[in-house]
Amino acid sequence: MDTKVLYVAAVVIAAVSGGYYYYSGKQQKLEADAAQSMTYSAENIHLTQTHEDGQLHVKATVDRLAQDMQQKTASLTNLDASLYQDGVVNATFKANKAQSFDDNNKVVLSEQVSATKLLTQGQMQLDTTELTFYPKTRDIETDKMVIVQSPQAEFVSQGLKANLNEGQYEFFNIRGTYER
């Protein structure tokens, strides 16, 4: 066999082999890139979270969670959460749907939202169609109609801003009964 034919055959085999390895590696890279943008989901979630000092912070149950790791968002179905302060429940949140944004720095609760703040004289319950909660600062707000029931009053407000740490609530356009 002529060396020229062997040389051409070797170059063709090297080109085919190199092309195969190049494109097979690129295929693996494309699959890895696609995996980074995947949405992860889970069902029947029970969460318990503590502070750095070991104190209970949050307990929650969720029927379904879908999380986009790349966008740092999550969608929850049937959220039931309790917030703790000094080891005792001091607020609860229930909603049919919840959306979290910016790695859970902002949570928007919607569809039959109920928030309860436990007070020394009883509890204050807020019912609305949408409520935005900022977990780090424990601020809540909405521009939707809010039905408020507490030991001292029952009223309807067109919006709310509050800080759960300070117990300061700001209601807008209030109609209702005070000091029952």
Side-chain angles (χ1 to χ4, degrees), residues 38-150:
M38 286 181 64
T39 300
Y40 301 95
S41 65
E43 294 184 1
N44 299 321
I45 300 163
H46 298 275
L47 166 80
T48 301
Q49 182 182 9
T50 61
H51 289 291
E52 296 80 25
D53 61 1
Q55 289 272 340
L56 191 56
H57 177 61
V58 176
K59 271 188 148 182
T61 60
V62 176
D63 287 351
R64 179 164 168 61
L65 164 74
Q67 187 172 23
D68 185 331
M69 299 299 287
Q70 192 172 20
Q71 298 294 323
K72 295 184 179 181
T73 61
S75 176
L76 300 93
T77 304
N78 293 330
L79 169 71
D80 187 354
S82 298
L83 299 180
Y84 290 76
Q85 191 166 22
D86 300 324
V88 178
V89 174
N90 85 337
T92 63
F93 294 92
K94 293 181 181 182
N96 289 349
K97 292 189 177 186
Q99 296 283 113
S100 77
F101 302 94
D102 192 24
D103 206 17
N104 295 326
N105 286 317
K106 176 182 176 183
V107 180
V108 178
L109 307 174
S110 61
E111 295 186 19
Q112 296 181 345
V113 179
S114 181
T116 304
K117 172 69 172 150
L118 301 177
L119 308 168
T120 54
Q121 319 80 357
Q123 67 182 24
M124 177 170 49
Q125 182 170 327
L126 310 168
D127 294 311
T128 185
T129 58
E130 183 177 293
L131 185 68
T132 302
F133 176 56
Y134 300 92
K136 286 187 180 178
T137 60
R138 295 175 51 105
D139 288 325
I140 59 175
E141 66 183 23
T142 186
D143 61 355
K144 308 294 185 211
M145 184 178 76
V146 180
I147 299 169
V148 180
Q149 296 176 341
S150 75

